Amino acid sequence: MRRRISAPALSLTRHSLPRLALDGALVALAYWLAWELRFDNGPQGRYEKLFERTVWWVLAGSLVVLLLSRVYQRRWRYSGQRDYEAVARAVLAIVLLTVVAVAVVRPVQIPHLIAHGATAADRSSSTSGTTAVELPDGVIVLFFLLSLLLLIGVRVIARSLYERRPLGAFRAGGRSERNVLIVGAGDGGRLVLREILRNRELGLQPVGFLDDDARKHGLRIDGVRVRGDTEGDLPRILEESEPDEVIIAIPSAPGSTRARVVRECRKRSIAVRTLPTVFELLQDQTSPTGISRQVREVRVEDVLGREPVLMELDRVGAYLAGETVLVTGAGGSIGSELCRQIARVGPRRIVLLDHAEDNLFQIQRELQDERHVQSSVLAAVLADCKEDERMREIFAEHRPTVVFHAAAYKHVGLMESNPVEAVRNNAMATRVVAHVAGEMGVGRFVLVSTDKAVAPATVMGASKALAEFALEAATARFAGTRYAAVRFGNVLGSSGSVVPIFRRQIERGGPVTVTDERMTRYFMTIPEAVQLIIRSGSLVSDGDRGADVFVLDMGDPVRIVDLARAMIELSGLDPDRDVAVEIVGRRAGEKLHEELFNRYEQPRPTKAEKIMLAGREPLSPETVEAMFDEIRLLVFEGDAARLAAKVAELSTVRAELSDVSGHSAQGGPLGSGHSTQGAPLGSGHGAQAPEPLIDSREP
């Protein structure tokens, strides 16, 4: 444990004493050299006396000024621009104080006439006073420059010695250093290079930079040359430099750039790693400060080619500050990320609601231990959203003002086999929570929906469409609560995502099964989707147009077969040789392309980037209530076959009503004719309609 030997404000420790002593000695040396350089044979006479009487002042004063300037907070080997600026300010203060002290104290005085060159006769007859000897201008300038040179120079030398890499350095175990090519010569690339130079135990040797900015080509950054760009020059540079590893050090690099680098490196069996994206760096407040520890393997989301949506969460989520926010499904993939991001904007309380004990416990502990959320701000509630009495108890106890309803079943194949539970959990539970929220006067209610609710071809999609209908009825009934649904496509890494399924198939050696090589899906990351959900919550209207349905702009759809091949390549394997991609054929109810808008909805812009509104005529509350009355009876009876058929029928009611009333609208650019509607769902109990993205059969 370090012992402080001075006031905390001075930040002086026993490790700082040698550095302080050396700095004082260097300042005194600079003062002496300034006099020696100003006078050919050194100071003589009155100037010699002035030097002898002031050198001790300079030494003592410099120690005090350097301490007050707080230049010993970091060791010299970590010195940077800010440290050098602090030293420069300290040196300027030392010189000014020295000049002022000599002028005020007047340590050396001589008779006035001698000072002005009077003759001996004049001096003998004069009774005039004395004049103080002042510092020569040349001494002042030289003292400043020499002090600056010595104090900064010693820090530069210390850092250079620390970062100096001996030739022929070897890693532990006798293996030679690995050559590294750094993509990106900006701030991220400089940080990576600095970490490599400082930490010799990493066993990495930089061989060059790549950067798409032509103005940087040919420059040297800390001795490492920028060799070219990532487009035309990349193959040539990889051949010439023969790196063992490539590090992508551009946190904001688009997916197309990452994909190009990965593709060229995989051809040559070169390992590729990347810095976290800007979004990950902003989100992860617990990661180590060392850049080398943050570098990770390239993941599939890095190479999908779409630009992630980045928002200032503190600004777009400001409406949650000081509010009591209830998140259902808080332990799930979407719900847990909602809790993480909401915790950052300063809510009064976050109510975590989930019926899965393990998941609820994990997110509670994470928020407390890793996100440092006070326990008084969190309320973990174990409950089932389908039980309306239990929901009323929870709402009455915690009085939430904002609700994010993320609790839902997502596995398409399982829901086809269990339609009763699908409808009970996804549709009827949404209706229960929405009604209780309205009764208790909740200000905002946001439903996490899915693109599978558009022209649904599966029980899961139809149940989510009914959940959207439930919000419309609640909007008409509870004027004080503003309701909205947020609709988006596949989320990478979420429960039921195709990515972990493909990964398991790759680990088994394949084949990776895709139902149709033409099949496409929309993708985004969990943090990105959640940020847009929170932003959508701030856009909810006052209810005069029914429940809002916000649609996230997912970018361009991704071909599933391309995703499968990319994942195989990221695993260091060849999709044409090591792991096969097998096309197993599309099944009943499966779409080739997902849509984001129904044909009776009109895409409308909002004031938020990447978020659109699905304009449509609201359904009458009576129509919605009649729908739920029918399915409630079938759920109670447990008639899976009739329930699946009824849900399939009800999911088309909206389109039929719109056609009859003349409100049908053409889909916009995100949903115009991309759907291939499959056979109707609900062919009987346990009707099999597998997940759209994969084939669940064992290879």
Side-chain angles (χ1 to χ4, degrees), residues 238-455:
L238 290 176
E239 296 293 341
E240 292 177 355
S241 60
E242 296 183 349
D244 299 299
E245 183 176 339
V246 171
I247 296 178
I248 302 175
I250 312 175
S252 58
S256 56
T257 299
R258 295 174 187 267
R260 182 167 57 248
V261 173
V262 170
R263 184 170 56 251
E264 293 296 333
C265 291
R266 292 302 184 199
K267 291 179 182 177
R268 298 163 176 82
S269 299
I270 300 173
V272 183
R273 291 195 290 167
T274 181
L275 280 183
T277 64
V278 171
F279 193 94
E280 291 174 296
L281 290 172
L282 292 174
Q283 287 294 102
D284 189 0
Q285 301 173 350
T286 62
S287 60
T289 56
I291 289 295
S292 62
R293 298 184 182 182
Q294 296 186 29
V295 176
R296 57 165 173 78
E297 296 295 327
V298 178
R299 297 195 292 248
V300 63
E301 53 263 42
D302 296 322
V303 299
L304 282 181
R306 65 179 298 275
E307 297 296 328
V309 179
L310 301 177
M311 293 184 176
E312 298 176 9
L313 184 60
D314 293 339
R315 177 177 58 84
V316 302
Y319 70 99
L320 299 175
E323 302 288 341
T324 299
V325 185
L326 170 66
V327 180
T328 70
S333 50
I334 297 294
S336 61
E337 184 62 25
L338 269 169
C339 296
R340 295 183 192 102
Q341 295 199 28
I342 291 171
R344 292 178 55 199
V345 299
R348 188 175 73 85
R349 170 163 286 197
I350 307 175
V351 183
L352 316 174
L353 191 152
D354 205 297
H355 74 282
E357 178 188 17
D358 289 345
N359 291 346
L360 184 61
F361 177 78
Q362 291 297 332
I363 185 59
Q364 180 190 27
R365 297 310 306 173
E366 178 186 336
L367 292 175
Q368 290 179 342
D369 298 343
E370 299 180 21
R371 308 282 169 168
H372 308 296
V373 180
Q374 296 181 359
S375 57
S376 59
V377 177
L378 298 177
V381 179
L382 199 60
D384 194 329
C385 293
K386 299 187 289 293
E387 301 173 0
D388 59 352
E389 286 303 320
R390 177 64 174 139
M391 289 299 104
R392 285 185 172 84
E393 292 175 2
I394 295 168
F395 275 73
E397 177 183 356
H398 298 285
R399 293 291 176 181
T401 54
V402 181
V403 174
F404 288 95
H405 183 50
Y409 289 143
K410 304 180 183 72
H411 295 267
V412 177
L414 283 176
M415 295 307 98
E416 288 298 306
S417 303
N418 300 273
V420 173
E421 280 304 308
V423 173
R424 195 201 312 265
N425 192 71
N426 290 358
M428 298 187 66
T430 299
R431 182 174 180 271
V432 167
V433 180
H435 275 228
V436 174
E439 292 171 359
M440 296 296 179
V442 171
R444 285 181 172 90
F445 184 99
V446 180
L447 166 68
V448 178
S449 189
T450 173
D451 59 356
K452 293 177 176 61
V454 177

Side-chain angles (χ1 to χ4, degrees), residues 23-41:
D23 279 344
L26 290 175
V27 171
L29 175 63
Y31 191 61
W32 176 76
L33 287 174
W35 285 96
E36 291 294 320
L37 293 174
R38 170 62 179 79
F39 299 97
D40 293 338
N41 298 316

Side-chain angles (χ1 to χ4, degrees), residues 23 49 62 94 129 138 209 231 240 246 251 262 308 319 364 366 368 453 468 504 509 517 545 559 580 591 667:
D23 279 344
K49 291 181 180 180
S62 65
I94 291 170
F209 282 104
E231 295 183 7
E240 292 177 355
V246 171
V262 170
Y319 70 99
Q364 180 190 27
E366 178 186 336
Q368 290 179 342
E468 292 184 7
R504 287 194 296 270
E517 62 182 354
R545 62 192 181 202
R559 292 179 67 223
K591 297 180 181 180

